[in-house]
Amino acid sequence: MLSSLVLAATLAAAPAPRTAASAKTLVHVPKVDALTGLAAFMERAGQHAALLRPAAWRSELHPFLVIDPTRPQSLSELGLDPSGPATVSMREDGRVSCMRVADAQVFQEKAAEAITAAGGAAAKPATRQGVTTLHVERDMGGSMGYALKGKEVCAFGAIERGGAALLKESVRLVGKTPAPDARLGKLPGVAYVVSGTTVVGLDGTANGLQAEGLTTKLRLPDFQSKGTSPYAAAKLDGLLFSRASVSPAGVTDTVDTMRATLQALCTACPKDSLHSMAKAVAKQLTGNLLVNMDHVQVRGSLRSMTTRFFAVRQAVAAEVKDAAAVKSALAPLGQLPDVKVLQDGWLLPLKGGNVLVRLKGKHLVVGNEETVTQATVAALTDSSAKQERAVDFAVDPKKVARGLSQISLSDILADELMAALFAASSELGPLLSRSERITGWMDSAPGGAHRVSMNWVLPAP
């Protein structure tokens, strides 16, 4: 009951977004002058990643006025209220930007100047039933204008000439009180981005970015919060270190994915044997996992599944209910082609490297590199501690940058995913290499969604 009242109060306090119908992407800022911290991060990060510079995206905040989020007074100069909300709805036919007016006369004067400068034809505002509208065709195509009522204004920019639909939508938006969006009330932030089923809240300072979101687009297993984990106190320094608590259904999916990958890499391995081993092992896992991705070392073309599998040198540890039962279930590994039986497990040689399966107490460890697997085994203990979230993670951004830099030109030209990773490397690599750390957590949410939080930290100036 109390949480419901708190949520209701939060929704009532924050200005609701004036969302245009059919919006593909929505950006909502409850108070524009609260963006200074987030803008400060973007300004600093933009020194190494041009896409993040406020100058690169501030033109997206309004169809024809230039708004500088690093200078709230820039809104006052345009007759807009810097303490008011801003909502940008991006549609296939254009966009609508709704804001609050501080001085209607100043706004209309600045709007006329900007529209003329953008190639708009001469036109005078018209007022009907308390709504002042302006609709102007551009010489170079498209149209723009606004609808103004009291202290609310929605401006639009249409891709094609006409723009009647966007003008009508702008009139509708200023003529009604917007309803609170419950999706935004669930997340902290000074700015929100909504795209499909994904909602992200953003905040920041000059030294860091905080992002928290809800999405159904992550292909991840269902998580569960058990409270304690044998991996809660473990710590390893690598590219990515994560602790997770997975639901029984998630355990089955995770084990089956690993089995399918091993089957694809080891075509000589009997399918029935791998299936039976995977099924028996899944029944013995508690759901507590530890992931240790140490570094990236690419040898060959990433178009090859073998190269992709061994590119990230990693190991995964899983807590088991009955170590003796797991050892018995995995005994058939010793009969697979060229398998080497170890004192505490098995080594399966494959074309691109070795897969190691090891047991230590009530822990099953699977890795694709001996040193990383050994380091993971050495970090394990039998003592449990409280784990705050279903998943937490820590990323070394410098190692991520080095890993992305290993994508070859031939892979970029031949594979869309590799091309996307290369684009990310080109844009974010310099920033990643100058970042201090990235940490965060994840939880499952209703409706098959995941809640994700991330904290991106830059070194102190």
PDB file of all heavy atoms in Angstrom, residues 259-296:
ATOM      1  N   ARG A 259      25.205 -26.613 -24.231  1.00  0.00           N
ATOM      2  CA  ARG A 259      25.272 -27.934 -24.878  1.00  0.00           C
ATOM      3  C   ARG A 259      25.222 -27.814 -26.390  1.00  0.00           C
ATOM      4  O   ARG A 259      25.990 -28.458 -27.115  1.00  0.00           O
ATOM      5  CB  ARG A 259      24.099 -28.783 -24.346  1.00  0.00           C
ATOM      6  CG  ARG A 259      24.112 -30.262 -24.730  1.00  0.00           C
ATOM      7  CD  ARG A 259      23.417 -30.558 -26.019  1.00  0.00           C
ATOM      8  NE  ARG A 259      22.145 -29.874 -26.125  1.00  0.00           N
ATOM      9  CZ  ARG A 259      21.568 -29.621 -27.283  1.00  0.00           C
ATOM     10  NH1 ARG A 259      22.151 -29.968 -28.430  1.00  0.00           N
ATOM     11  NH2 ARG A 259      20.416 -28.970 -27.332  1.00  0.00           N
ATOM     12  N   ALA A 260      24.323 -26.946 -26.902  1.00  0.00           N
ATOM     13  CA  ALA A 260      24.196 -26.759 -28.349  1.00  0.00           C
ATOM     14  C   ALA A 260      25.477 -26.171 -28.938  1.00  0.00           C
ATOM     15  O   ALA A 260      25.905 -26.554 -30.037  1.00  0.00           O
ATOM     16  CB  ALA A 260      22.997 -25.857 -28.653  1.00  0.00           C
ATOM     17  N   THR A 261      26.100 -25.241 -28.210  1.00  0.00           N
ATOM     18  CA  THR A 261      27.359 -24.649 -28.680  1.00  0.00           C
ATOM     19  C   THR A 261      28.453 -25.697 -28.751  1.00  0.00           C
ATOM     20  O   THR A 261      29.195 -25.784 -29.743  1.00  0.00           O
ATOM     21  CB  THR A 261      27.793 -23.510 -27.741  1.00  0.00           C
ATOM     22  OG1 THR A 261      26.764 -22.512 -27.717  1.00  0.00           O
ATOM     23  CG2 THR A 261      29.093 -22.883 -28.216  1.00  0.00           C
ATOM     24  N   LEU A 262      28.568 -26.514 -27.695  1.00  0.00           N
ATOM     25  CA  LEU A 262      29.581 -27.568 -27.681  1.00  0.00           C
ATOM     26  C   LEU A 262      29.330 -28.576 -28.792  1.00  0.00           C
ATOM     27  O   LEU A 262      30.268 -29.046 -29.448  1.00  0.00           O
ATOM     28  CB  LEU A 262      29.577 -28.265 -26.319  1.00  0.00           C
ATOM     29  CG  LEU A 262      30.627 -29.361 -26.112  1.00  0.00           C
ATOM     30  CD1 LEU A 262      32.037 -28.803 -26.299  1.00  0.00           C
ATOM     31  CD2 LEU A 262      30.474 -29.991 -24.726  1.00  0.00           C
ATOM     32  N   GLN A 263      28.062 -28.890 -29.035  1.00  0.00           N
ATOM     33  CA  GLN A 263      27.725 -29.839 -30.096  1.00  0.00           C
ATOM     34  C   GLN A 263      28.156 -29.297 -31.461  1.00  0.00           C
ATOM     35  O   GLN A 263      28.686 -30.043 -32.305  1.00  0.00           O
ATOM     36  CB  GLN A 263      26.220 -30.083 -30.104  1.00  0.00           C
ATOM     37  CG  GLN A 263      25.773 -31.124 -31.126  1.00  0.00           C
ATOM     38  CD  GLN A 263      26.154 -32.525 -30.712  1.00  0.00           C
ATOM     39  OE1 GLN A 263      25.601 -33.077 -29.786  1.00  0.00           O
ATOM     40  NE2 GLN A 263      27.123 -33.125 -31.396  1.00  0.00           N
ATOM     41  N   ALA A 264      27.966 -27.993 -31.684  1.00  0.00           N
ATOM     42  CA  ALA A 264      28.351 -27.394 -32.962  1.00  0.00           C
ATOM     43  C   ALA A 264      29.862 -27.379 -33.136  1.00  0.00           C
ATOM     44  O   ALA A 264      30.364 -27.514 -34.260  1.00  0.00           O
ATOM     45  CB  ALA A 264      27.799 -25.972 -33.053  1.00  0.00           C
ATOM     46  N   LEU A 265      30.586 -27.218 -32.042  1.00  0.00           N
ATOM     47  CA  LEU A 265      32.045 -27.180 -32.119  1.00  0.00           C
ATOM     48  C   LEU A 265      32.653 -28.575 -32.189  1.00  0.00           C
ATOM     49  O   LEU A 265      33.729 -28.759 -32.756  1.00  0.00           O
ATOM     50  CB  LEU A 265      32.616 -26.446 -30.900  1.00  0.00           C
ATOM     51  CG  LEU A 265      32.251 -24.962 -30.785  1.00  0.00           C
ATOM     52  CD1 LEU A 265      32.682 -24.409 -29.435  1.00  0.00           C
ATOM     53  CD2 LEU A 265      32.909 -24.162 -31.899  1.00  0.00           C
ATOM     54  N   CYS A 266      31.978 -29.532 -31.588  1.00  0.00           N
ATOM     55  CA  CYS A 266      32.489 -30.913 -31.566  1.00  0.00           C
ATOM     56  C   CYS A 266      31.496 -31.803 -32.297  1.00  0.00           C
ATOM     57  O   CYS A 266      30.645 -32.454 -31.686  1.00  0.00           O
ATOM     58  CB  CYS A 266      32.675 -31.386 -30.115  1.00  0.00           C
ATOM     59  SG  CYS A 266      33.316 -33.067 -29.961  1.00  0.00           S
ATOM     60  N   THR A 267      31.592 -31.817 -33.614  1.00  0.00           N
ATOM     61  CA  THR A 267      30.640 -32.583 -34.417  1.00  0.00           C
ATOM     62  C   THR A 267      30.772 -34.083 -34.206  1.00  0.00           C
ATOM     63  O   THR A 267      29.840 -34.843 -34.475  1.00  0.00           O
ATOM     64  CB  THR A 267      30.846 -32.262 -35.914  1.00  0.00           C
ATOM     65  OG1 THR A 267      32.226 -32.516 -36.259  1.00  0.00           O
ATOM     66  CG2 THR A 267      30.517 -30.806 -36.200  1.00  0.00           C
ATOM     67  N   ALA A 268      31.946 -34.517 -33.692  1.00  0.00           N
ATOM     68  CA  ALA A 268      32.148 -35.945 -33.444  1.00  0.00           C
ATOM     69  C   ALA A 268      31.549 -36.392 -32.118  1.00  0.00           C
ATOM     70  O   ALA A 268      31.449 -37.601 -31.846  1.00  0.00           O
ATOM     71  CB  ALA A 268      33.640 -36.278 -33.464  1.00  0.00           C
ATOM     72  N   CYS A 269      31.161 -35.450 -31.286  1.00  0.00           N
ATOM     73  CA  CYS A 269      30.578 -35.794 -29.986  1.00  0.00           C
ATOM     74  C   CYS A 269      29.160 -36.337 -30.182  1.00  0.00           C
ATOM     75  O   CYS A 269      28.345 -35.690 -30.843  1.00  0.00           O
ATOM     76  CB  CYS A 269      30.549 -34.576 -29.079  1.00  0.00           C
ATOM     77  SG  CYS A 269      32.171 -33.943 -28.618  1.00  0.00           S
ATOM     78  N   PRO A 270      28.841 -37.486 -29.605  1.00  0.00           N
ATOM     79  CA  PRO A 270      27.503 -38.078 -29.786  1.00  0.00           C
ATOM     80  C   PRO A 270      26.407 -37.214 -29.173  1.00  0.00           C
ATOM     81  O   PRO A 270      26.489 -36.814 -28.010  1.00  0.00           O
ATOM     82  CB  PRO A 270      27.613 -39.437 -29.062  1.00  0.00           C
ATOM     83  CG  PRO A 270      28.798 -39.325 -28.176  1.00  0.00           C
ATOM     84  CD  PRO A 270      29.724 -38.345 -28.790  1.00  0.00           C
ATOM     85  N   LYS A 271      25.372 -36.914 -29.964  1.00  0.00           N
ATOM     86  CA  LYS A 271      24.307 -36.026 -29.524  1.00  0.00           C
ATOM     87  C   LYS A 271      23.570 -36.570 -28.310  1.00  0.00           C
ATOM     88  O   LYS A 271      23.273 -35.839 -27.363  1.00  0.00           O
ATOM     89  CB  LYS A 271      23.322 -35.782 -30.664  1.00  0.00           C
ATOM     90  CG  LYS A 271      23.878 -34.957 -31.808  1.00  0.00           C
ATOM     91  CD  LYS A 271      22.795 -34.682 -32.858  1.00  0.00           C
ATOM     92  CE  LYS A 271      23.343 -33.815 -33.987  1.00  0.00           C
ATOM     93  NZ  LYS A 271      22.286 -33.532 -34.996  1.00  0.00           N
ATOM     94  N   ASP A 272      23.243 -37.852 -28.342  1.00  0.00           N
ATOM     95  CA  ASP A 272      22.479 -38.435 -27.241  1.00  0.00           C
ATOM     96  C   ASP A 272      23.226 -38.313 -25.928  1.00  0.00           C
ATOM     97  O   ASP A 272      22.634 -38.018 -24.878  1.00  0.00           O
ATOM     98  CB  ASP A 272      22.171 -39.906 -27.533  1.00  0.00           C
ATOM     99  CG  ASP A 272      21.184 -40.071 -28.676  1.00  0.00           C
ATOM    100  OD1 ASP A 272      20.511 -39.073 -29.010  1.00  0.00           O
ATOM    101  OD2 ASP A 272      21.090 -41.187 -29.221  1.00  0.00           O
ATOM    102  N   SER A 273      24.538 -38.530 -25.974  1.00  0.00           N
ATOM    103  CA  SER A 273      25.347 -38.460 -24.760  1.00  0.00           C
ATOM    104  C   SER A 273      25.376 -37.034 -24.208  1.00  0.00           C
ATOM    105  O   SER A 273      25.215 -36.815 -23.001  1.00  0.00           O
ATOM    106  CB  SER A 273      26.772 -38.937 -25.049  1.00  0.00           C
ATOM    107  OG  SER A 273      27.562 -38.881 -23.868  1.00  0.00           O
ATOM    108  N   LEU A 274      25.556 -36.035 -25.095  1.00  0.00           N
ATOM    109  CA  LEU A 274      25.578 -34.642 -24.646  1.00  0.00           C
ATOM    110  C   LEU A 274      24.218 -34.226 -24.083  1.00  0.00           C
ATOM    111  O   LEU A 274      24.138 -33.508 -23.079  1.00  0.00           O
ATOM    112  CB  LEU A 274      25.976 -33.722 -25.794  1.00  0.00           C
ATOM    113  CG  LEU A 274      27.443 -33.784 -26.253  1.00  0.00           C
ATOM    114  CD1 LEU A 274      27.693 -32.773 -27.365  1.00  0.00           C
ATOM    115  CD2 LEU A 274      28.384 -33.525 -25.091  1.00  0.00           C
ATOM    116  N   HIS A 275      23.144 -34.679 -24.722  1.00  0.00           N
ATOM    117  CA  HIS A 275      21.803 -34.347 -24.241  1.00  0.00           C
ATOM    118  C   HIS A 275      21.563 -34.908 -22.848  1.00  0.00           C
ATOM    119  O   HIS A 275      21.050 -34.221 -21.962  1.00  0.00           O
ATOM    120  CB  HIS A 275      20.743 -34.884 -25.208  1.00  0.00           C
ATOM    121  CG  HIS A 275      20.363 -33.931 -26.292  1.00  0.00           C
ATOM    122  ND1 HIS A 275      19.545 -32.844 -26.061  1.00  0.00           N
ATOM    123  CD2 HIS A 275      20.677 -33.900 -27.617  1.00  0.00           C
ATOM    124  CE1 HIS A 275      19.361 -32.187 -27.199  1.00  0.00           C
ATOM    125  NE2 HIS A 275      20.041 -32.804 -28.156  1.00  0.00           N
ATOM    126  N   SER A 276      21.905 -36.167 -22.651  1.00  0.00           N
ATOM    127  CA  SER A 276      21.658 -36.799 -21.355  1.00  0.00           C
ATOM    128  C   SER A 276      22.508 -36.166 -20.262  1.00  0.00           C
ATOM    129  O   SER A 276      22.045 -35.965 -19.132  1.00  0.00           O
ATOM    130  CB  SER A 276      21.917 -38.306 -21.438  1.00  0.00           C
ATOM    131  OG  SER A 276      23.272 -38.564 -21.793  1.00  0.00           O
ATOM    132  N   MET A 277      23.769 -35.814 -20.579  1.00  0.00           N
ATOM    133  CA  MET A 277      24.629 -35.159 -19.597  1.00  0.00           C
ATOM    134  C   MET A 277      24.079 -33.784 -19.229  1.00  0.00           C
ATOM    135  O   MET A 277      24.020 -33.418 -18.042  1.00  0.00           O
ATOM    136  CB  MET A 277      26.061 -35.039 -20.144  1.00  0.00           C
ATOM    137  CG  MET A 277      26.876 -36.318 -20.051  1.00  0.00           C
ATOM    138  SD  MET A 277      28.622 -36.056 -20.454  1.00  0.00           S
ATOM    139  CE  MET A 277      28.530 -35.857 -22.229  1.00  0.00           C
ATOM    140  N   ALA A 278      23.677 -33.013 -20.242  1.00  0.00           N
ATOM    141  CA  ALA A 278      23.147 -31.677 -19.988  1.00  0.00           C
ATOM    142  C   ALA A 278      21.884 -31.740 -19.134  1.00  0.00           C
ATOM    143  O   ALA A 278      21.704 -30.941 -18.194  1.00  0.00           O
ATOM    144  CB  ALA A 278      22.853 -30.978 -21.310  1.00  0.00           C
ATOM    145  N   LYS A 279      20.999 -32.668 -19.410  1.00  0.00           N
ATOM    146  CA  LYS A 279      19.757 -32.807 -18.662  1.00  0.00           C
ATOM    147  C   LYS A 279      20.031 -33.175 -17.207  1.00  0.00           C
ATOM    148  O   LYS A 279      19.422 -32.608 -16.284  1.00  0.00           O
ATOM    149  CB  LYS A 279      18.885 -33.872 -19.321  1.00  0.00           C
ATOM    150  CG  LYS A 279      17.502 -33.995 -18.712  1.00  0.00           C
ATOM    151  CD  LYS A 279      16.668 -35.007 -19.493  1.00  0.00           C
ATOM    152  CE  LYS A 279      15.267 -35.127 -18.884  1.00  0.00           C
ATOM    153  NZ  LYS A 279      14.429 -36.098 -19.651  1.00  0.00           N
ATOM    154  N   ALA A 280      20.979 -34.103 -16.992  1.00  0.00           N
ATOM    155  CA  ALA A 280      21.302 -34.534 -15.635  1.00  0.00           C
ATOM    156  C   ALA A 280      21.986 -33.427 -14.841  1.00  0.00           C
ATOM    157  O   ALA A 280      21.703 -33.232 -13.652  1.00  0.00           O
ATOM    158  CB  ALA A 280      22.196 -35.775 -15.693  1.00  0.00           C
ATOM    159  N   VAL A 281      22.872 -32.672 -15.493  1.00  0.00           N
ATOM    160  CA  VAL A 281      23.587 -31.597 -14.805  1.00  0.00           C
ATOM    161  C   VAL A 281      22.627 -30.467 -14.444  1.00  0.00           C
ATOM    162  O   VAL A 281      22.699 -29.905 -13.341  1.00  0.00           O
ATOM    163  CB  VAL A 281      24.746 -31.068 -15.675  1.00  0.00           C
ATOM    164  CG1 VAL A 281      25.300 -29.769 -15.106  1.00  0.00           C
ATOM    165  CG2 VAL A 281      25.854 -32.116 -15.763  1.00  0.00           C
ATOM    166  N   ALA A 282      21.727 -30.114 -15.364  1.00  0.00           N
ATOM    167  CA  ALA A 282      20.786 -29.017 -15.113  1.00  0.00           C
ATOM    168  C   ALA A 282      19.974 -29.269 -13.849  1.00  0.00           C
ATOM    169  O   ALA A 282      19.669 -28.331 -13.096  1.00  0.00           O
ATOM    170  CB  ALA A 282      19.865 -28.829 -16.312  1.00  0.00           C
ATOM    171  N   LYS A 283      19.619 -30.516 -13.579  1.00  0.00           N
ATOM    172  CA  LYS A 283      18.830 -30.859 -12.393  1.00  0.00           C
ATOM    173  C   LYS A 283      19.613 -30.625 -11.101  1.00  0.00           C
ATOM    174  O   LYS A 283      19.017 -30.481 -10.030  1.00  0.00           O
ATOM    175  CB  LYS A 283      18.372 -32.312 -12.461  1.00  0.00           C
ATOM    176  CG  LYS A 283      17.345 -32.589 -13.547  1.00  0.00           C
ATOM    177  CD  LYS A 283      16.955 -34.052 -13.546  1.00  0.00           C
ATOM    178  CE  LYS A 283      15.908 -34.357 -14.619  1.00  0.00           C
ATOM    179  NZ  LYS A 283      15.524 -35.793 -14.647  1.00  0.00           N
ATOM    180  N   GLN A 284      20.940 -30.602 -11.201  1.00  0.00           N
ATOM    181  CA  GLN A 284      21.780 -30.480 -10.011  1.00  0.00           C
ATOM    182  C   GLN A 284      22.270 -29.052  -9.750  1.00  0.00           C
ATOM    183  O   GLN A 284      22.955 -28.820  -8.763  1.00  0.00           O
ATOM    184  CB  GLN A 284      22.999 -31.414 -10.144  1.00  0.00           C
ATOM    185  CG  GLN A 284      22.657 -32.889 -10.109  1.00  0.00           C
ATOM    186  CD  GLN A 284      22.072 -33.309  -8.774  1.00  0.00           C
ATOM    187  OE1 GLN A 284      22.392 -32.744  -7.734  1.00  0.00           O
ATOM    188  NE2 GLN A 284      21.187 -34.296  -8.808  1.00  0.00           N
ATOM    189  N   LEU A 285      21.916 -28.098 -10.603  1.00  0.00           N
ATOM    190  CA  LEU A 285      22.388 -26.725 -10.427  1.00  0.00           C
ATOM    191  C   LEU A 285      21.416 -25.920  -9.563  1.00  0.00           C
ATOM    192  O   LEU A 285      20.209 -25.999  -9.751  1.00  0.00           O
ATOM    193  CB  LEU A 285      22.557 -26.041 -11.787  1.00  0.00           C
ATOM    194  CG  LEU A 285      23.544 -26.702 -12.761  1.00  0.00           C
ATOM    195  CD1 LEU A 285      23.693 -25.837 -14.013  1.00  0.00           C
ATOM    196  CD2 LEU A 285      24.894 -26.923 -12.114  1.00  0.00           C
ATOM    197  N   THR A 286      21.953 -25.125  -8.650  1.00  0.00           N
ATOM    198  CA  THR A 286      21.123 -24.303  -7.770  1.00  0.00           C
ATOM    199  C   THR A 286      20.651 -23.021  -8.451  1.00  0.00           C
ATOM    200  O   THR A 286      19.709 -22.386  -7.998  1.00  0.00           O
ATOM    201  CB  THR A 286      21.898 -23.906  -6.509  1.00  0.00           C
ATOM    202  OG1 THR A 286      22.982 -23.022  -6.876  1.00  0.00           O
ATOM    203  CG2 THR A 286      22.445 -25.126  -5.787  1.00  0.00           C
ATOM    204  N   GLY A 287      21.314 -22.621  -9.509  1.00  0.00           N
ATOM    205  CA  GLY A 287      20.997 -21.372 -10.197  1.00  0.00           C
ATOM    206  C   GLY A 287      21.996 -20.274  -9.935  1.00  0.00           C
ATOM    207  O   GLY A 287      22.001 -19.255 -10.617  1.00  0.00           O
ATOM    208  N   ASN A 288      22.884 -20.462  -8.937  1.00  0.00           N
ATOM    209  CA  ASN A 288      23.928 -19.468  -8.666  1.00  0.00           C
ATOM    210  C   ASN A 288      25.073 -19.637  -9.661  1.00  0.00           C
ATOM    211  O   ASN A 288      25.637 -20.736  -9.782  1.00  0.00           O
ATOM    212  CB  ASN A 288      24.452 -19.619  -7.240  1.00  0.00           C
ATOM    213  CG  ASN A 288      23.461 -19.118  -6.213  1.00  0.00           C
ATOM    214  OD1 ASN A 288      22.816 -18.090  -6.419  1.00  0.00           O
ATOM    215  ND2 ASN A 288      23.322 -19.833  -5.104  1.00  0.00           N
ATOM    216  N   LEU A 289      25.402 -18.555 -10.369  1.00  0.00           N
ATOM    217  CA  LEU A 289      26.431 -18.596 -11.402  1.00  0.00           C
ATOM    218  C   LEU A 289      27.448 -17.487 -11.196  1.00  0.00           C
ATOM    219  O   LEU A 289      27.141 -16.436 -10.641  1.00  0.00           O
ATOM    220  CB  LEU A 289      25.813 -18.428 -12.795  1.00  0.00           C
ATOM    221  CG  LEU A 289      24.750 -19.426 -13.244  1.00  0.00           C
ATOM    222  CD1 LEU A 289      24.173 -19.000 -14.588  1.00  0.00           C
ATOM    223  CD2 LEU A 289      25.330 -20.834 -13.337  1.00  0.00           C
ATOM    224  N   LEU A 290      28.647 -17.731 -11.689  1.00  0.00           N
ATOM    225  CA  LEU A 290      29.701 -16.715 -11.738  1.00  0.00           C
ATOM    226  C   LEU A 290      30.286 -16.736 -13.141  1.00  0.00           C
ATOM    227  O   LEU A 290      30.632 -17.805 -13.658  1.00  0.00           O
ATOM    228  CB  LEU A 290      30.784 -17.018 -10.699  1.00  0.00           C
ATOM    229  CG  LEU A 290      31.982 -16.050 -10.629  1.00  0.00           C
ATOM    230  CD1 LEU A 290      32.517 -16.000  -9.202  1.00  0.00           C
ATOM    231  CD2 LEU A 290      33.112 -16.486 -11.558  1.00  0.00           C
ATOM    232  N   VAL A 291      30.372 -15.577 -13.771  1.00  0.00           N
ATOM    233  CA  VAL A 291      30.919 -15.462 -15.130  1.00  0.00           C
ATOM    234  C   VAL A 291      32.190 -14.631 -15.076  1.00  0.00           C
ATOM    235  O   VAL A 291      32.185 -13.515 -14.550  1.00  0.00           O
ATOM    236  CB  VAL A 291      29.898 -14.807 -16.088  1.00  0.00           C
ATOM    237  CG1 VAL A 291      30.495 -14.673 -17.491  1.00  0.00           C
ATOM    238  CG2 VAL A 291      28.612 -15.620 -16.128  1.00  0.00           C
ATOM    239  N   ASN A 292      33.259 -15.163 -15.628  1.00  0.00           N
ATOM    240  CA  ASN A 292      34.551 -14.472 -15.653  1.00  0.00           C
ATOM    241  C   ASN A 292      35.045 -14.396 -17.096  1.00  0.00           C
ATOM    242  O   ASN A 292      35.639 -15.335 -17.617  1.00  0.00           O
ATOM    243  CB  ASN A 292      35.570 -15.218 -14.785  1.00  0.00           C
ATOM    244  CG  ASN A 292      36.952 -14.566 -14.828  1.00  0.00           C
ATOM    245  OD1 ASN A 292      37.078 -13.373 -15.107  1.00  0.00           O
ATOM    246  ND2 ASN A 292      37.993 -15.348 -14.559  1.00  0.00           N
ATOM    247  N   MET A 293      34.770 -13.266 -17.763  1.00  0.00           N
ATOM    248  CA  MET A 293      35.315 -13.019 -19.103  1.00  0.00           C
ATOM    249  C   MET A 293      36.585 -12.213 -18.917  1.00  0.00           C
ATOM    250  O   MET A 293      36.535 -11.030 -18.576  1.00  0.00           O
ATOM    251  CB  MET A 293      34.305 -12.250 -19.966  1.00  0.00           C
ATOM    252  CG  MET A 293      33.042 -13.001 -20.245  1.00  0.00           C
ATOM    253  SD  MET A 293      31.934 -12.075 -21.363  1.00  0.00           S
ATOM    254  CE  MET A 293      30.552 -13.221 -21.491  1.00  0.00           C
ATOM    255  N   ASP A 294      37.724 -12.834 -19.143  1.00  0.00           N
ATOM    256  CA  ASP A 294      38.988 -12.195 -18.779  1.00  0.00           C
ATOM    257  C   ASP A 294      39.505 -11.228 -19.838  1.00  0.00           C
ATOM    258  O   ASP A 294      39.852 -10.090 -19.533  1.00  0.00           O
ATOM    259  CB  ASP A 294      40.047 -13.268 -18.506  1.00  0.00           C
ATOM    260  CG  ASP A 294      41.311 -12.674 -17.929  1.00  0.00           C
ATOM    261  OD1 ASP A 294      41.301 -12.307 -16.736  1.00  0.00           O
ATOM    262  OD2 ASP A 294      42.306 -12.552 -18.674  1.00  0.00           O
ATOM    263  N   HIS A 295      39.565 -11.666 -21.073  1.00  0.00           N
ATOM    264  CA  HIS A 295      40.094 -10.807 -22.126  1.00  0.00           C
ATOM    265  C   HIS A 295      39.687 -11.346 -23.489  1.00  0.00           C
ATOM    266  O   HIS A 295      39.148 -12.455 -23.586  1.00  0.00           O
ATOM    267  CB  HIS A 295      41.625 -10.699 -22.044  1.00  0.00           C
ATOM    268  CG  HIS A 295      42.330 -12.000 -22.287  1.00  0.00           C
ATOM    269  ND1 HIS A 295      42.436 -12.994 -21.346  1.00  0.00           N
ATOM    270  CD2 HIS A 295      42.967 -12.477 -23.400  1.00  0.00           C
ATOM    271  CE1 HIS A 295      43.111 -14.024 -21.836  1.00  0.00           C
ATOM    272  NE2 HIS A 295      43.440 -13.734 -23.091  1.00  0.00           N
ATOM    273  N   VAL A 296      39.956 -10.573 -24.525  1.00  0.00           N
ATOM    274  CA  VAL A 296      39.663 -10.982 -25.899  1.00  0.00           C
ATOM    275  C   VAL A 296      40.964 -11.249 -26.635  1.00  0.00           C
ATOM    276  O   VAL A 296      41.904 -10.460 -26.568  1.00  0.00           O
ATOM    277  CB  VAL A 296      38.862  -9.890 -26.639  1.00  0.00           C
ATOM    278  CG1 VAL A 296      38.689 -10.251 -28.120  1.00  0.00           C
ATOM    279  CG2 VAL A 296      37.509  -9.686 -25.985  1.00  0.00           C
TER     280      VAL A 296
END
